[in-house]
Structures are given as structure tokens and as C-alpha cells.
Amino acid sequence: MSDLEQEPLFLIIDDEQAICDSCFAVFTKDGYKIEIAMDGKTGLEKVRELKPDIVLIDLKMPGIGGMEVLKEIRKIDPNMVPIIITGYATIESAVEAMKLGSFDYLPKPFTLNELRVITKRALERRKLLLEAESLRREKETMQEKFISMVSHQLRTPLVAVQEYLEVILGGMAGKVADEQKHMLERIKIRVSELLSLINDWLSFSRLDESKISQKFKPLEITSLLKEIVDFMQPIAQENEIVLEIAPTNNTFIVNGDKELLRELFTNLISNGINYNREKGKVKIALNEENSNIVVKVSDTGIGMSDTEIPFIFDEFYRVKSKEVQAITGTGLGLSIARRIVEAHQGSINVESKLGEGTTFIVSLPKGGENG
Ligand code: ADP
């Protein structure tokens, strides 16, 4: 790949000497580097070897034709920008070339000005593609860094806490009174739950969706939600928030991973508590709609404006209001929630009104015998 900022590299693949000569004259004059191949085979060799920015390809050439060259270029580097030039221009061939990834189509004969206009646009396209590629790489690196941060800075100290607890509970640091022992046992359970959650999330971040779904089992979701609500009740009470599940006699089964779904609903309920008002409410309701199990988590909290909603599922995004900034958070809960829902082939949506409250709607395909 050439350095686009400095000197873009053009490759002309055409068996017509006159075209090669005039392209050479124009591009050299404009300060670009240029390579020429007089047939498809040599052209593809140069594509592989030199990684040009823009490739101008003649459709009709002896041996490997322009369409074949286009197909190969897409496989070699989808960020390369190919342009078809031909003396046999038809609508059909233009459409086919575009489908195969040609950026544009230039019928012969063309003026030098037409050539300049088209290549200028192609260069802009190339620049955008390279920028997008570098952003994608940067994002991947950030994700990797984050995974390693979770692993080292969160998991490692928790493992140490667990080990100390074992020592204390085993009586190796002195006698432990029964009441203290009971509390320490509970701490131990919570720490190991947290550890398994972190481990799950780490493997979730590293695994692809198809592998996660191999672990899915039919799961009765009402009892899972009750467990979560029981676990979160003390935090709700501390904040004077009423936390409840709408009563139901039905059983709701989904195919899923229990710990990941626990993480999902814990995130939504804890947001409902965190972003609530004094003496507010968080309500969970379950329903079945069109072969989906729909869980709604509603709160009577601060709500969000329509302009914020499109971003709240992005990693690290937090609403920039004073109210939100006063509450601690990482901006990760909802992005994890969305990934978990997507891994379960479901959807997550939000309805919210500033100052009135928010409802998160999670829809998961119905599981069990028929699921
Ligand atoms: P965190 O809560 O750690 O900031 P999340 O990803 O869970 O991260 O949420 C992203 C942002 O979306 C929050 O910072 C908050 O601004 C907004 N938000 C999420 N849930 C609610 C809610 N129930 N009510 C109001 N705002 C919310």
C-alpha cells in the first residue's frame, strides 16, 4: 500500500498502449506514482505485489478479463478502489462491474478531464476506506486492552480476596465467631459469583456468538428474575425505591445462558434504581408476544431525551447531564446488555421520557420444547 498522503499509486491494467501512455502522462503530471500491466495476469501479480490505491481495469483483454480481475481484487484487498474502463460500454456490463465492487465506470473514449474527475473521487473514496480500516483496528486494540484490564485489574484482586477468605474461614488466622463466619460465608459466595460473572464476560468477549449459543439451555426466566430481584432488594431499599415483579402464573422459558441473562437483567434493574428519583419505583413485567418472551424493566426515574437514546448502547457512553454525572457508572452496562441480547438472537429497545422515566424492553425467542 502506498502512502496516500504523499504519493498515491495507480495501476493501469489495459492491453491498449495508447490508453496506458495517456494515463501515464496524466498521472505522472499530477504527481502520482503509476504502474502499468498489459494483461490481466500481470495486472493481478502487480496488485498482489504493489498493493496499489487505485486500479484502472480494461474490461476486454486477452486471457483474464476485467470482470475476473475485479473479483480477485475484492478478495485480495476490499479497500482497493477499482475503476472499469472500456470501449464496449453497455448498461449490463456497467451494472455487473458495480456489483463486483467497481467504484465507477469510464467508457472509452474519455477526455483527460473526465479521467481526472473520476480518479479524484476514487482517491477520496480510498482515503475514507483507509480511515475506516484504521478506526476499526484501533477499536479492536481498545477492546483487547479492555479485556486484559478486566482480567488483570478486576479478576486478579478478587482471586486474592477469595484466597484470604479461605484462610480466615479455615481458622488459620485465629478463631472466627459463628456470626462472623456466617457473614464471611456470604461474602465468599458473592465474591465467587462476581468472579464467575467476570470470567463469563471475559469468555463472552473473546468468543464468537455461534460458540456461546452452544452453551444455551432451556431456562425458566421468572425464577431467574425473582432471584435477581431478591438479590437487589437491599440496594433498592437503601435508595427507598420500590422494586417489584408484576405477578404472573405463567412460566416463561427461553434458551439461554443463565449467568449472561442474570448479568443482562441485573444491569437493567440496577440502572432503574440508579437513575431513579426519591421514593421511585422499578417494575419488571413478563409477557409472551408472537413467540417471544418480552421482559419490560420500567422505572419512574430521570429518563432520557430522544437525542441521547441512539447512543446509550455504545461502549463507555454516558449521558452528559449533571444528574447522570453525579452517579457513578462506566457506560458499559448497556453495551454488554445489548451484546448478551444479540447473542440470544433477541432485541433490546428503550422508551424514555425526560423527567418521567424509562422502560427497557427485552425480547427473547421463546425456548423450551417448541423453541
Ligand atoms: P452506566 O450506567 O454505567 O453509566 P450504562 O451503559 O448502563 O452505563 O448506561 C449508559 C447511560 O445510559 C447511562 O450513563 C445513563 O446516562 C443512561 N441510562 C441507562 N439506563 C437509564 C435509565 N434507566 N434511566 C435513565 N438513564 C439511563
Side-chain angles (χ1 to χ4, degrees):
M1 193 185 305
S2 73
D3 183 347
L4 199 51
E5 289 298 320
Q6 310 257 314
E7 246 184 346
L9 175 61
F10 282 72
L11 172 65
I12 319 294
I13 310 176
D14 198 327
D15 59 339
E16 209 178 314
Q17 188 70 50
I19 292 286
C20 294
D21 289 347
S22 53
C23 285
F24 188 88
V26 170
F27 293 142
T28 324
K29 189 161 176 246
D30 290 351
Y32 304 141
K33 283 192 284 185
I34 176 159
E35 279 286 331
I36 287 169
M38 303 287 287
D39 61 77
K41 186 169 172 283
T42 321
L44 281 175
E45 280 164 11
K46 291 203 172 188
V47 164
R48 285 195 188 91
E49 184 193 334
L50 305 170
K51 301 271 188 296
D53 298 293
I54 315 289
V55 191
L56 287 111
I57 311 154
D58 184 24
L59 258 193
K60 290 239 164 24
M61 290 181 287
I64 304 176
M67 295 295 183
E68 273 307 301
V69 173
L70 260 183
K71 273 189 216 162
E72 284 303 309
I73 286 184
R74 192 140 83 169
K75 283 189 222 152
I76 297 166
D77 180 358
N79 292 332
M80 235 173 241
V81 181
I83 300 168
I84 285 290
I85 40 175
T86 181
Y88 306 90
T90 62
I91 300 265
E92 289 75 24
S93 58
V95 170
E96 197 190 338
M98 297 306 233
K99 276 190 190 152
L100 290 174
S102 178
F103 170 68
D104 214 330
Y105 195 87
L106 192 59
K108 292 179 195 171
F110 48 82
T111 66
L112 295 186
N113 198 34
E114 280 167 341
L115 180 66
R116 280 202 169 102
V117 169
I118 222 170
T119 49
K120 188 166 173 263
R121 285 185 33 237
L123 277 170
E124 279 159 13
R125 167 90 181 151
R126 170 73 169 162
K127 200 170 161 220
L128 283 177
L129 288 171
L130 290 181
E131 276 168 9
E133 175 72 14
S134 112
L135 284 174
R136 196 186 55 75
R137 287 218 193 103
E138 209 174 296
K139 194 172 166 232
E140 263 175 26
T141 316
M142 267 180 66
Q143 269 168 348
E144 270 308 310
K145 273 193 193 150
F146 179 70
I147 290 169
S148 116
M149 193 269 282
V150 172
S151 173
H152 292 106
Q153 294 180 23
L154 224 61
R155 187 165 60 171
T156 313
L158 274 174
V159 171
V161 170
Q162 205 177 36
E163 283 165 2
Y164 278 118
L165 280 171
E166 294 290 351
V167 172
I168 298 169
L169 280 166
M172 282 166 272
K175 198 168 161 12
V176 185
D178 280 351
E179 201 176 330
Q180 290 168 334
K181 198 168 181 177
H182 176 70
M183 285 181 181
L184 287 169
E185 292 284 3
R186 289 193 67 82
I187 296 174
K188 197 178 125 188
I189 293 169
R190 292 288 173 253
V191 169
S192 72
E193 274 176 6
L194 197 51
L195 263 173
S196 65
L197 192 66
I198 291 171
N199 290 339
D200 272 359
W201 189 80
L202 281 172
S203 49
F204 173 73
S205 312
R206 291 184 179 128
L207 281 177
D208 59 66
E209 286 184 14
S210 56
K211 285 186 191 148
I212 295 172
S213 57
Q214 284 169 10
K215 274 173 58 189
F216 287 1
K217 289 192 188 110
L219 185 80
E220 210 286 289
I221 204 167
T222 327
S223 53
L224 172 66
L225 285 166
K226 280 184 184 148
E227 270 177 41
I228 301 171
V229 165
D230 284 347
F231 178 63
M232 302 205 70
Q233 211 53 267
I235 307 163
Q237 280 163 10
E238 220 172 88
N239 290 277
E240 293 191 56
I241 305 284
V242 175
L243 170 61
E244 61 184 24
I245 303 186
T248 170
N249 293 323
N250 297 340
T251 48
F252 298 99
I253 296 173
V254 298
N255 285 329
D257 181 299
K258 190 172 180 183
E259 292 317 309
L260 289 177
L261 290 176
R262 189 196 299 279
E263 163 80 332
L264 158 70
F265 291 114
T266 305
N267 277 345
L268 298 183
I269 296 169
S270 81
N271 279 359
I273 296 171
N274 285 339
Y275 301 106
N276 221 310
R277 301 192 168 278
E278 248 177 65
K279 300 201 181 352
K281 236 183 171 188
V282 177
K283 195 170 174 178
I284 297 128
L286 272 136
N287 273 303
E288 192 179 319
E289 284 171 27
N290 309 324
S291 307
N292 286 315
I293 306 299
V294 179
V295 184
K296 291 188 180 176
V297 180
S298 312
D299 66 62
T300 54
I302 58 174
M304 286 169 272
S305 67
D306 288 348
T307 50
E308 299 284 357
I309 289 175
F311 305 105
I312 58 169
F313 293 99
D314 291 351
E315 282 161 41
F316 303 107
Y317 186 84
R318 304 198 73 219
V319 170
K320 282 161 206 67
S321 68
K322 270 194 187 153
E323 274 168 308
V324 170
Q325 298 302 314
I327 299 160
T328 39
T330 59
L332 269 173
L334 289 179
S335 60
I336 294 174
R338 183 173 62 178
R339 294 189 70 181
I340 295 173
V341 171
E342 282 170 1
H344 285 78
Q345 316 295 327
S347 66
I348 179 163
N349 290 299
V350 59
E351 288 167 2
S352 189
K353 257 204 168 145
L354 202 57
E356 288 185 21
T358 303
T359 300
F360 282 96
I361 303 145
V362 175
S363 180
L364 299 167
K366 191 178 160 192
E369 281 159 36
N370 305 318

